[in-house]
Amino acid sequence: MLILTAGQVRQVLDGAERQVVEAVSRAYRLHAAGRTVLPHSLFLRFPEETRNRIIALPAYLGNPGGTGAREPVAGVKWISSFPGNLDAGLERASAVIVLNSMRTGHPEVLLEGSVISARRTAASAALAAATLAPREPQTGVTLIGCGVINFEVLTFLRALLPELAEVTLFDLDPARARAFTERCAARLPGLATTITERIGDALAAHRLISVATTAATPHLDPSPCPPGTLLLHLSLRDLAPETILSSVNIVDDDDHVCRESTSLHLAEQQAGHRDFIADSIGALLTGTRRERDPEALTVFSPFGLGVLDLAVADLVHHRAQEQGLGTDVPDFLPFGHGS
């Protein structure tokens, strides 16, 4: 068993945003081609702590064939979300990812998973923003929620959209927004950052918006958004069903995203169908490019497919091996080495 810590995962992923986006794009294309196996995520919830959850995401990611193609990979991500951690100065999410041998089924690699999870989410958002880009350059973005996910989103957006120069921030906690601007100044120099006190002002500032909150129920009124806005709906429960039903909706997988009281799940329950879903990101990447509607609100709602975690974890595994990183535990399993 090879064990890779959070620091080692960061070491191989820092500065590799384009490689991560390519891994995520490849996973989406394979999923669209039917070369994945993706059971529904399993949600473990707790009666006395309804905001907390731990989720298991099992998955299999095939390969497209051909010379130089990566080997198939199977595994699982086990990720917790405890929002109360933020008040204690801890990270909201923690995770591990296990990769299994496709020859023996044995677990072979154990990786710290929260870094991978955040960056595959951000890569997915940036990929959607680039794929659904308007004709004119996107020079600004609004971030609703100033946590780990949106900082990673900003990092990946800047890698894919070099013209990005302005960031408008809103968070219910002004101190978190101020800390976010300080982090931007240190890690992403050259970006002009503005903190707004009212969420409506933030929504009106740019036609590209990323929403990453801990909201469990709809709360966001998108009426201030300019015509033709792309809203990256990463936290999945911020928009009312009426908003979803009146928008152009792009998803990663309609069967996965219409579950667990997401905004799209509520919209499906209200409408009695899924006809409000216009397309999937995988179909857009493998088919004809879709022009963003210049008048309507376009909403990208990615459930967060386990195959994305596998794709990025596999990338980390190979890069770590090349750099000699990780701790090998040869006797982790009880039946290794001839026993």
Side-chain angles (χ1 to χ4, degrees), residues 201-223:
D201 294 339
L203 294 173
H206 306 290
R207 294 203 301 153
L208 178 60
I209 300 170
S210 177
V211 181
T213 74
T214 58
T217 56
H219 65 96
L220 195 64
D221 173 13
S223 59

Side-chain angles (χ1 to χ4, degrees), residues 87-331:
D87 296 331
L90 302 173
E91 297 293 347
R92 174 187 61 83
S94 60
V96 294
I97 296 174
V98 177
L99 301 182
N100 292 75
S101 167
M102 288 301 301
R103 181 176 59 84
T104 66
H106 294 174
E108 291 187 318
V109 190
L110 177 68
L111 308 95
E112 195 284 329
S114 68
V115 175
I116 290 171
S117 187
R119 297 197 184 187
R120 64 83 152 141
T121 301
S124 172
L127 181 62
T131 303
L132 294 162
R135 295 183 183 277
E136 65 275 11
Q138 300 183 100
T139 59
V141 61
T142 289
L143 306 179
I144 307 297
C146 294
V148 171
I149 297 297
N150 259 343
F151 189 83
E152 295 292 354
V153 168
L154 184 58
T155 301
F156 277 82
L157 285 173
R158 202 176 192 205
L160 266 63
L161 306 175
E163 68 274 14
L164 197 70
E166 302 175 48
V167 184
T168 300
L169 307 174
F170 175 83
D171 196 285
L172 291 174
D173 182 352
R176 284 170 59 82
R178 290 193 295 270
F180 195 99
T181 62
E182 293 170 3
R183 192 176 181 194
C184 285
R187 295 274 302 277
L188 300 169
L191 284 172
T193 58
T194 302
I195 299 174
T196 60
E197 296 181 358
R198 297 188 303 177
I199 193 169
D201 294 339
L203 294 173
H206 306 290
R207 294 203 301 153
L208 178 60
I209 300 170
S210 177
V211 181
T213 74
T214 58
T217 56
H219 65 96
L220 195 64
D221 173 13
S223 59
C225 295
T229 291
L230 172 62
L231 193 151
L232 306 171
H233 185 208
L234 306 182
S235 35
L236 293 176
R237 295 169 179 84
D238 304 85
L239 300 175
E242 293 77 13
T243 299
I244 295 295
L245 293 172
S246 63
S247 302
V248 177
N249 291 284
I250 310 297
V251 302
D252 50 7
D253 183 290
D254 59 352
D255 196 40
H256 283 257
V257 79
C258 290
R259 298 181 65 234
E260 296 293 332
S261 298
T262 65
S263 296
L264 281 86
H265 188 198
L266 299 180
E268 179 190 28
Q269 291 175 327
Q270 181 170 309
H273 58 74
R274 297 178 182 174
D275 296 346
F276 54 85
I277 297 177
D279 232 324
S280 73
I281 184 68
L284 295 182
L285 291 169
T286 57
T288 304
R289 179 182 173 88
R290 170 184 286 270
E291 295 290 337
R292 190 196 300 181
D293 191 313
E295 298 299 327
L297 175 68
T298 299
V299 178
F300 175 57
S301 299
F303 191 72
L305 306 180
V307 290
L308 307 186
D309 299 291
L310 292 192
V312 179
D314 188 50
L315 174 68
V316 170
H317 178 205
H318 283 86
R319 290 172 67 95
Q321 284 185 313
E322 292 169 359
Q323 298 177 32
L325 297 175
T327 301
D328 189 25
V329 184
D331 58 351

Side-chain angles (χ1 to χ4, degrees), residues 36-54:
T36 64
V37 179
L38 200 62
H40 280 148
S41 303
L42 176 66
F43 283 67
L44 177 62
R45 302 185 186 276
F46 312 99
E48 291 80 23
E49 298 289 345
T50 56
R51 295 179 68 201
N52 298 338
R53 63 183 186 266
I54 311 178

